[in-house]
Amino acid sequence: MLEEKLRQLGQDHIAKLLETGAGFVLRSEIEKDLKGISIPLVRELTEGRHLYQEPALVQVKPVPVVPASFSASPKAGRFRAHGEDLLRKGRVAALVVAGGQGSRLGIDAPKGVVGVAPVTGKSLFQLHAEKVLALSRKHGRAVPLFVMTSRANDADTRAFFAGHAFFGLDPQDVFFFVQGMLPSITLEGRFVLSRYGGLFMNPDGHGGTLAALRKNGCLDTMRDRGIEEIFYFQVDNPLVSICDPLFIGLHNLQGAGMSSKVVKKTGFDEKVGIIAEVEGKTRVVEYSDMSDDMRYALDAEGKMLYWAGNSAIHMIRRDFVESLTGSAVRLPFHRAEKNIPALDPAGNPVEVRGIKFETFIFDALPMAEKSVTLEVLREHEFAPVKNRTGEDSLETSRIMQSRLHRSWLKDLGVEVSGTSLIEISPLVALEKDDLALRVKSLPAKIDKDIYIP
Ligand code: UTP
């Protein structure tokens, strides 16, 4: 019985409200909220177990990084060719995590629907889908796209794809799956009543991807389709080079379980996690966990020692996910305090200080026996849309997208005026080399905003 379940969880205050028949508490909503969540886990979290512990940063050193310059070296050819071969054989899936709440951007819709392209205003989802389509065409084999949503945005996300005819992808190659949710709690460990009559829940973080892949049968689907490798990326980065063959090849040929792309931090104080080697294991050290000594450490040449910023782009072996999710191993839960719109026991709207629990995908890195870290240039591959204004905003992202495409045109001899915005469809070119094949059809000079479809 529901009241009993709530009491087992130490949530007598909600059980009591149900018993007294308070009109603002909806039994069906609370049942829905608690269905599918692990009751022992929730109890343990409210008791403070399974929480992330700051790593003791004693044996720390920079992780070996394959430098960005490697991509132009003759040695890169073998790895790139191997990556392309895996794509041709249909061994690679793309996976975009899009279950977040996008609270910094402050929109009431899935982040993927936000228009970000500099000239056409194409949405993040459209850009990603077109890249996957272009990749599939290029390698003569469909790359399946897995889209992780949350309970809050699943229906809208599906409707957006359906409403746009899947942006040209075959719907049979697109798989939506919903991540888990967890109840947020007050600082005293009590569940919070939402304004919708249920509990205030939050998605369980991008680390929830792993369990959600298993729970929703996606690992089986992948196995049945012969997928061995998963290219993982976040919905908010329109510059991501989806299924970059060099990255796939480096990771796969070296037998890595999980690998990462890194970008140079813009400065010591950029609030981004870095990838380092801690006690012999590759892991992300979050900005907030770095001591000043570590944050400002210099190498022998006087340059930033821990510069390898996590871009949240990973290759993950399917069987690594299977072994992690099939074992008792858990990703640690991070606690984040925030203000929660809630109802007080009399049903009045209030704001309470609460805690949400989330797991992070990068906490799986040290669990992999082997990991490759590849540097890529920020201006080529990383322009996330996180904030409304300022750093990592729509504006900075649009400028970076336009700048990259302008540089391709300029390198191919096109004269481009300084102020024009440039956008090249992923269906035309995923990289400069694709555009080079069409150089004859390009204008000699561009002096206004242009979209090359
Ligand atoms: P962020 O950490 O940037 O969070 O997520 P967010 O929810 O998008 O935005 P804020 O922090 O509320 O402003 C990075 C990526 O991880 C996904 C997001 O959709 C984004 O692609 N994510 C995050 C999930 O899929 N699920 C989650 O529970 C959290």
Side-chain angles (χ1 to χ4, degrees):
M1 182 174 149
L2 185 58
E3 283 83 345
E4 209 173 289
K5 212 181 212 181
L6 285 160
R7 289 212 159 85
Q8 276 171 20
L9 286 166
Q11 306 297 334
D12 303 36
H13 64 299
I14 310 271
K16 234 182 259 165
L17 283 172
L18 280 171
E19 281 159 359
T20 55
F24 52 90
V25 186
L26 300 178
R27 175 177 293 272
S28 57
E29 285 301 309
I30 295 188
E31 261 165 0
K32 223 193 292 162
D33 291 336
L34 292 183
K35 202 173 138 215
I37 66 171
S38 157
I39 298 290
L41 172 65
V42 173
R43 198 180 44 236
E44 285 158 15
L45 285 175
T46 55
E47 290 165 2
R49 289 158 65 186
H50 307 302
L51 296 185
Y52 169 79
Q53 309 287 343
E54 278 179 33
L57 296 173
V58 274
Q59 284 175 50
V60 193
K61 54 181 184 180
V63 76
V65 178
V66 179
S69 58
F70 179 78
S71 82
S73 76
K75 280 192 192 148
R78 179 168 80 93
F79 296 102
R80 195 173 282 119
H82 181 67
E84 285 166 353
D85 192 45
L86 291 178
L87 284 164
R88 258 193 311 273
K89 290 182 172 145
R91 300 279 181 262
V92 188
L95 189 167
V96 58
V97 288
Q101 294 165 306
S103 40
R104 281 169 287 175
L105 206 55
I107 46 149
D108 193 21
K111 219 189 213 183
V113 313
V114 174
V116 296
V119 179
T120 60
K122 281 183 194 176
S123 64
L124 284 158
F125 279 140
Q126 179 165 1
L127 290 176
H128 298 323
E130 288 184 352
K131 284 184 191 179
V132 171
L133 181 58
L135 257 174
S136 305
R137 286 179 180 160
K138 191 168 178 176
H139 299 288
R141 185 77 182 247
V143 173
L145 173 64
F146 288 78
V147 183
M148 186 168 84
T149 63
S150 78
R151 216 170 82 181
N153 68 19
D154 184 64
D156 288 347
T157 304
R158 287 172 195 256
F160 191 70
F161 272 80
H164 292 87
F166 285 74
F167 306 104
L169 292 171
D170 183 339
Q172 307 235 3
D173 295 324
V174 183
F175 301 88
F176 299 96
F177 66 107
V178 187
Q179 71 174 110
M181 301 286 281
L182 283 169
S184 301
I185 57 171
T186 63
L187 303 182
E188 296 76 38
R190 287 151 72 93
F191 286 177
V192 180
L193 264 185
S194 82
R195 295 185 184 169
Y196 311 101
L199 300 177
F200 193 94
M201 309 281 288
N202 63 268
D204 62 0
H206 41 64
T209 309
L210 304 179
L213 279 173
R214 176 174 281 264
K215 198 168 168 188
N216 292 284
C218 300
L219 290 176
D220 299 333
T221 306
M222 287 179 179
R223 199 178 325 107
D224 293 347
R225 289 183 67 133
I227 301 295
E228 288 168 11
E229 296 286 2
I230 304 167
F231 179 92
Y232 167 102
F233 65 104
Q234 301 192 333
V235 73
D236 51 27
N237 178 18
L239 278 194
V240 59
S241 170
I242 299 176
C243 296
D244 162 15
L246 175 62
F247 187 36
I248 297 172
L250 280 165
H251 159 85
N252 184 269
L253 272 183
Q254 295 182 58
M258 178 166 174
S259 297
S260 315
K261 281 192 172 183
V262 292
V263 290
K264 275 210 168 71
K265 276 181 63 163
T266 50
F268 292 103
D269 293 316
E270 192 194 2
K271 289 192 174 54
V272 65
I274 53 100
I275 298 196
E277 203 176 291
V278 182
E279 294 182 55
K281 293 274 181 198
T282 300
R283 66 178 305 148
V284 168
V285 180
E286 288 194 81
Y287 178 82
S288 49
D289 287 346
M290 286 169 95
S291 62
D292 278 358
D293 280 354
M294 185 174 176
R295 192 173 296 148
Y296 299 109
L298 300 175
D299 65 13
E301 290 166 27
K303 294 194 186 131
M304 196 186 317
L305 185 62
Y306 293 104
W307 57 264
N310 176 23
S311 71
I313 299 169
H314 301 285
M315 286 303 308
I316 311 176
R317 279 183 74 93
R318 191 206 74 234
D319 58 13
F320 175 59
V321 183
E322 277 173 350
S323 75
L324 278 186
T325 55
S327 71
V329 175
R330 257 192 222 295
L331 297 181
F333 286 83
H334 296 245
R335 288 158 44 105
E337 269 193 44
K338 58 172 190 170
N339 290 331
I340 300 177
L343 290 181
D344 71 8
N348 303 309
V350 283
E351 199 150 274
V352 297
R353 196 78 192 141
I355 296 167
K356 70 170 174 179
F357 296 105
E358 285 186 315
T359 58
F360 296 156
I361 192 81
F362 54 71
D363 282 326
L365 262 183
M367 298 174 188
E369 276 193 18
K370 221 167 173 193
S371 179
V372 174
T373 311
L374 171 66
E375 183 198 5
V376 294
L377 299 182
R378 181 182 292 260
E379 56 271 31
H380 289 178
E381 300 193 27
F382 191 59
V385 180
K386 300 278 185 196
N387 305 307
R388 283 183 91 91
T389 53
E391 253 175 40
D392 294 340
S393 63
L394 261 179
E395 196 191 353
T396 57
S397 178
R398 283 196 184 118
I399 292 171
M400 285 180 72
Q401 293 170 63
S402 175
R403 249 186 223 153
L404 176 67
H405 289 172
R406 169 198 309 270
S407 75
W408 292 355
L409 289 167
K410 279 189 148 177
D411 289 352
L412 294 171
V414 179
E415 204 183 304
V416 192
S417 87
T419 51
S420 321
L421 285 175
I422 313 291
E423 179 183 333
I424 300 170
S425 168
L427 297 171
V428 169
L430 288 169
E431 54 186 339
K432 190 171 64 187
D433 289 352
D434 299 331
L435 196 62
L437 301 175
R438 301 182 35 146
V439 75
K440 286 204 184 100
S441 66
L442 297 174
K445 192 172 170 187
I446 295 172
D447 54 12
K448 56 179 187 318
D449 296 352
I450 187 170
Y451 169 59
I452 302 184

